[in-house]
Amino acid sequence: AQKSASPAARVKRLVVRAQKTLFGGWFIFPPTATERISRSSHPLRVKFGIDPTRDRLHLGHFVPLRVARKMQEQGHDLHLILGTITAALGDPSGQDKTRPILSEEEVRTNADSLLKQVERVLLPGFQVHRNHEFVEAMSVPFFLTRLASKVTVTNMLSRDGFRRRNE
């Protein structure tokens, strides 16, 4: 029966099965972490980030979005961080080659589209941050002395993704 089911029906079954498995208890957070979160006397700040390299969410966003929603339901503060600078720079994220560099307009359009989709999953009241806002606020001397000085070419090349891209 499974092989004759449509691809959409198979994906739906897979998602339902994953949701039952992942959110039935201990899989995402061990019981001790869940208990600590539940007993927390103050709301935790939960950060969830998405890079707007495309204009649609995919199945890989499902689990973290559900966890973020669950945390909201428990009264925690959710901060959605849209990786607008990361998408614009073409960050490889463990891939062998650089993602295509997107224009500001493409990044803005993708981020707006993703935000509309995320709003359908999460509860209202979460805060939205676009990470280019943090970078734009940095001065060149701050960046060079506090951030760039901490990373050497050797460090970068020791990361497998950077090394493979430079070979």
Side-chain angles (χ1 to χ4, degrees):
Q2 274 188 327
K3 292 188 182 199
S4 64
S6 72
R10 287 195 302 254
V11 168
K12 184 175 181 180
R13 258 197 319 274
L14 174 67
V15 168
V16 168
R17 203 169 350 157
Q19 187 174 7
K20 286 178 182 174
T21 302
L22 296 175
F23 301 104
W26 60 270
F27 190 82
I28 294 297
F29 296 110
T32 55
T34 305
E35 290 166 12
R36 279 197 308 261
I37 290 169
S38 298
R39 289 193 309 253
S40 177
S41 61
H42 61 282
L44 300 175
R45 180 179 295 164
V46 179
K47 298 175 187 172
F48 172 59
I50 300 175
D51 284 348
T53 53
R54 301 281 184 261
D55 64 348
R56 293 187 198 111
L57 294 174
H58 56 74
L59 193 56
H61 292 112
F62 174 74
V63 171
L65 275 171
R66 291 290 299 151
V67 170
R69 167 77 185 240
K70 219 168 184 47
M71 298 295 281
Q72 279 184 295
E73 290 169 353
Q74 294 176 359
H76 302 293
D77 297 325
L78 180 68
H79 293 256
L80 176 67
I81 301 172
L82 294 169
T84 50
I85 193 74
T86 315
L89 293 175
D91 174 47
S93 296
Q95 299 175 16
D96 289 344
K97 56 186 177 183
T98 305
R99 292 180 191 160
I101 296 174
L102 303 177
S103 70
E104 284 183 39
E105 181 60 33
E106 288 172 306
V107 172
R108 188 178 316 108
T109 300
N110 289 350
D112 292 343
S113 176
L114 289 173
L115 183 57
K116 287 178 186 169
Q117 294 167 59
V118 167
E119 287 172 339
R120 295 174 63 189
V121 177
L122 299 176
L123 298 173
F126 61 91
Q127 294 186 36
V128 179
H129 308 277
R130 296 167 190 258
N131 71 357
H132 75 272
E133 297 163 355
F134 307 124
V135 175
E136 287 175 352
M138 285 186 218
S139 67
V140 172
F142 176 86
F143 177 78
L144 292 174
T145 59
R146 304 265 169 58
L147 301 176
S149 66
K150 307 292 185 219
V151 180
T152 66
V153 173
T154 304
N155 292 120
M156 284 198 315
L157 291 177
S158 69
R159 289 190 56 201
D160 196 45
F162 283 105
R163 185 181 46 75
R164 282 186 281 152
R165 285 175 53 204
N166 288 316
E167 288 178 346

